[in-house]
Amino acid sequence: MAVARTKRLPSRPVILLLQVAVLIGFFLLWHVLTATNILSPFFFGTPLAVLERTWNDFASGVIWYHLGITLLETALAFAIGTVAGIAFGFWFARAPLVSVVFDPYIKAVNALPRVVLAPIFALWLGLGIWSKVALGVTLVFFIVFFNVYQGVKEVSPVVLANARMLGASNRHLFRHVYLPSALSWVFSSLHTAVGFAMVGAVVGEYLGSAAGLGYRIHQAEGVFDTVGVFSGMLVLTIFVVVIDVVVTVIEKRLLHWRPQEAQTTNAQG
Amino acid sequence: MAEAPALRPEGTETPALRLEGVTCTFPSPDGRGSTYTAVQGVSFTVAAGEFVSIVGPTGSGKSTLLNVAAGLLEPSEGRAFAFGQLVNGINPLAGYMFQAEALMPWKSALENVAAGLEFRGVSKREAEERARPWLARVGLDRFGDRYPHQLSGGMRKRVALAQTLIVDPKIVLMDEPFSALDIQTRQMMENELLDLWSADRKSVVFITHDLEEAISMSDRVLVLSAGPGARLIGEYPVDLERPRDVAEIRMTPHFLDLHREIWGQLREEVLKGYAQTKLK
């Protein structure tokens, strides 16, 4: 097969090898700097201690509970935010008056840094999972909302006219034209939306809760346990990477009708 | 056995399509409240089973007329009738093949062809069963599960053709359907269209800016003047024998005579249209 001359990259195993090398290099550098006391182990922890702590947390099973809580919050925030975003996105796109009237308010609320809402939600919904879910929803909703709005607005008028000439009723148009078009926009923002759902969950936990990864990190910080903080961050990172892989798989399955032009940017072979 | 009595005497049969004094005025794109009249007082009929082409310079409102016939556009004045029925809203007797890409990109070729049947209440499975022979008829039986972006321009047009014809429209409206194709693919598609058409003789209104295409395909060619306010200014019966091969028929003397005659009138309009676009 012909390969474009300008964008020639080494093969996939080689890239993977290089990526692992960067990771190992980072840990080695960290290890050397802390072992030689150039960086104080008290402030920076040591990689071996962090890995050991993480391993022990997984082996003893304490982490699974917190991971489960964070995952649950993320999933709920994502699901509720997405459904609400799709519903409102459709409504606004199909009702121009509503969209014009509410436009400045939507923009104002979206411009608000959502972190400031966390204490309010804790006040309203308590310290359980729902205050975290609410925070995540406020983040996810707007991403999905704007994408669905765009997706419905940008349906090609020719495709629409064609479907109508083929006898499509309004219900058919929704099911066969508007929805697939809007969903393609939703799925293209899936990575961002899931990421934001998790940010909402973790930030919420961090600011006040009794369980979850954010809570663990906050606890460790409270007692100057740097190893605990870094271990929490490591678990969080692994969590994010795993979710991102899952999202990519789902995205590929659902958007298989779209031209694959973004291959080079995310190197998904 | 007695035949069912003919409801109308021969010759006054209800035309498949009749436009009566159609005028379409749009708000001007400059948005200052001024208006732009695309077509003015256009009337014509298309008989059942007749293949009529409309030619005219760019911007003469050819597509506007088709949209009126399809019921996608309500004319400012005048009316359209399909087999005697006033067109009010989407014309259920008409199929429309668009100039631009009109396939649903999220549906495979097979699903796209089946869509019209599905919209008419046929179950998805049955619709796809019935779409398969149509895909075969346009030579794409092996490409049913491809998505539009995986097909070439010519293949997409074939899918669109099958998609339009599968619901068995009595009137087929075609808006420069092959203008985006290269000349070889285009002549192949034109012949395929004539083959499909000769099988069950639907009424066809074919819009094109290509006079050769118009003559080689049609029974009659209508000429539109340059816009704004385009009117019908010529009507030419094409009495070339069928079946035709669109590439070969272009070499016959009678074709060349017809071409010379119509081009004589069309050229003036093309020049007028060109002068107007230059003035803007």
Side-chain angles (χ1 to χ4, degrees), chain A residues 17-261:
Chain A
L17 214 65
L18 289 171
Q19 286 170 337
V20 173
V22 169
L23 187 70
I24 293 174
F26 172 75
F27 275 94
L28 267 182
L29 186 70
W30 185 7
H31 177 73
V32 170
L33 287 176
T34 47
T36 54
N37 260 325
I38 295 173
L39 293 177
S40 156
F42 178 75
F43 290 112
F44 291 90
T46 68
L48 287 177
V50 169
L51 288 175
E52 193 191 343
R53 175 76 67 90
T54 309
W55 176 259
N56 284 339
D57 283 346
F58 275 106
S60 68
V62 282
I63 199 76
W64 293 111
Y65 169 68
H66 297 282
L67 209 52
I69 293 286
T70 305
L71 187 64
L72 179 66
E73 289 162 355
T74 304
L76 283 172
F78 176 74
I80 297 171
T82 303
V83 170
I86 290 177
F88 277 86
F90 259 104
W91 183 35
F92 275 54
R94 306 290 285 142
L97 178 66
V98 178
S99 115
V100 178
V101 170
F102 279 93
D103 182 63
Y105 302 106
I106 295 278
K107 285 195 177 128
V109 176
N110 188 37
L112 191 75
R114 250 48 65 78
V115 180
V116 302
L117 291 175
I120 303 274
F121 286 138
L123 211 59
W124 290 348
L125 302 167
L127 294 175
I129 65 168
W130 290 106
S131 56
K132 287 82 199 169
V133 172
L135 188 61
V137 166
T138 61
L139 290 163
V140 173
F141 171 79
F142 286 96
I143 303 168
V144 176
F145 171 81
F146 285 119
N147 275 292
V148 169
Y149 183 79
Q150 199 72 5
V152 173
K153 283 272 172 194
E154 303 231 328
V155 169
S156 150
V158 180
V159 171
L160 208 52
N162 190 34
R164 287 174 68 201
M165 286 310 294
L166 290 170
S169 64
N170 279 336
R171 199 169 51 82
H172 289 132
L173 288 182
F174 176 82
R175 160 86 185 70
H176 293 268
V177 181
Y178 287 118
L179 197 60
S181 172
L183 284 186
S184 77
W185 283 73
V186 171
F187 287 126
S188 63
S189 63
L190 211 61
H191 289 275
T192 333
V194 171
F196 271 115
M198 210 201 61
V199 168
V202 172
V203 169
E205 286 163 2
Y206 187 86
L207 292 177
S209 70
L213 291 179
Y215 162 79
R216 296 264 303 172
I217 294 176
H218 188 65
Q219 284 275 303
E221 274 178 3
V223 295
F224 297 106
D225 174 13
T226 36
V227 172
V229 174
F230 283 122
S231 167
M233 282 164 57
L234 185 65
V235 173
L236 204 55
T237 312
I238 296 169
F239 181 57
V240 173
V241 169
V242 169
I243 284 192
D244 201 64
V245 169
V246 172
V247 169
T248 306
V249 170
I250 294 174
E251 194 179 21
K252 283 207 155 184
R253 286 188 60 95
L254 290 172
L255 288 186
H256 51 113
W257 56 268
R258 285 223 296 211
Q260 304 255 304
E261 49 193 355

Side-chain angles (χ1 to χ4, degrees), chain B residues 12-258:
Chain B
T12 58
E13 206 182 340
T14 318
L17 183 69
R18 182 154 56 97
L19 263 62
E20 263 181 16
V22 168
T23 299
C24 290
T25 305
F26 300 98
S28 199
D30 61 19
R32 304 231 171 155
S34 58
T35 56
Y36 170 85
T37 301
V39 290
Q40 178 112 48
V42 173
S43 304
F44 66 88
T45 59
V46 178
E50 193 185 16
F51 197 124
V52 173
S53 285
I54 302 178
V55 293
T58 316
S60 57
K62 302 187 289 283
S63 306
T64 308
L65 286 178
L66 222 50
N67 287 339
V68 169
L72 288 169
L73 181 71
E74 195 185 338
S76 319
E77 274 171 49
R79 292 177 297 180
F81 297 91
F83 289 97
Q85 287 173 342
L86 180 68
V87 174
N88 185 11
I90 297 292
N91 182 347
L93 299 172
Y96 199 138
M97 197 170 158
F98 292 83
Q99 180 179 13
E101 298 290 345
L103 296 177
M104 289 166 262
W106 41 82
K107 285 184 185 288
S108 68
L110 186 70
E111 289 167 338
N112 261 295
V113 176
L117 293 177
E118 253 188 275
F119 296 156
R120 280 164 171 73
V122 178
S123 74
K124 186 175 167 70
R125 175 181 294 189
E126 195 196 329
E128 291 187 1
E129 273 320 303
R130 283 163 62 183
R132 249 172 255 284
W134 269 104
L135 268 182
R137 221 177 287 188
V138 294
L140 292 176
D141 31 353
R142 288 183 303 110
F143 296 91
D145 50 3
R146 298 276 188 96
Y147 287 89
H149 80 269
Q150 297 166 320
L151 299 169
S152 69
M155 288 170 159
R156 285 201 289 266
K157 286 298 175 193
R158 282 164 205 224
V159 176
L161 188 61
Q163 186 187 49
T164 307
L165 295 180
I166 194 172
V167 295
D168 194 26
K170 300 286 168 280
I171 307 162
V172 181
L173 308 168
M174 309 186 97
D175 186 4
E176 306 199 21
F178 310 137
S179 62
L181 304 179
D182 61 87
I183 187 72
Q184 287 84 1
T185 316
R186 186 170 173 170
Q187 290 189 347
M188 226 157 66
M189 290 292 301
E190 287 165 2
N191 277 332
E192 279 175 28
L193 174 61
L194 283 184
D195 275 353
L196 287 171
W197 173 75
S198 62
D200 62 351
R201 296 266 170 160
K202 298 173 186 309
S203 305
V204 178
V205 184
F206 192 95
I207 300 273
T208 178
H209 59 257
D210 179 350
L211 184 53
E212 290 193 11
E213 185 177 41
I215 300 173
S216 56
M217 311 262 303
S218 339
D219 297 320
R220 197 149 51 98
V221 175
L222 305 176
V223 180
L224 269 182
S225 71
R231 291 164 299 108
L232 271 185
I233 51 167
E235 179 180 355
Y236 300 86
V238 179
D239 48 357
L240 298 164
E241 81 280 11
R242 294 188 187 270
R244 302 174 186 168
D245 180 290
V246 293
E248 281 168 21
I249 205 158
R250 289 173 200 211
M251 323 285 187
T252 61
H254 191 44
F255 179 94
L256 294 172
D257 289 341
L258 274 168

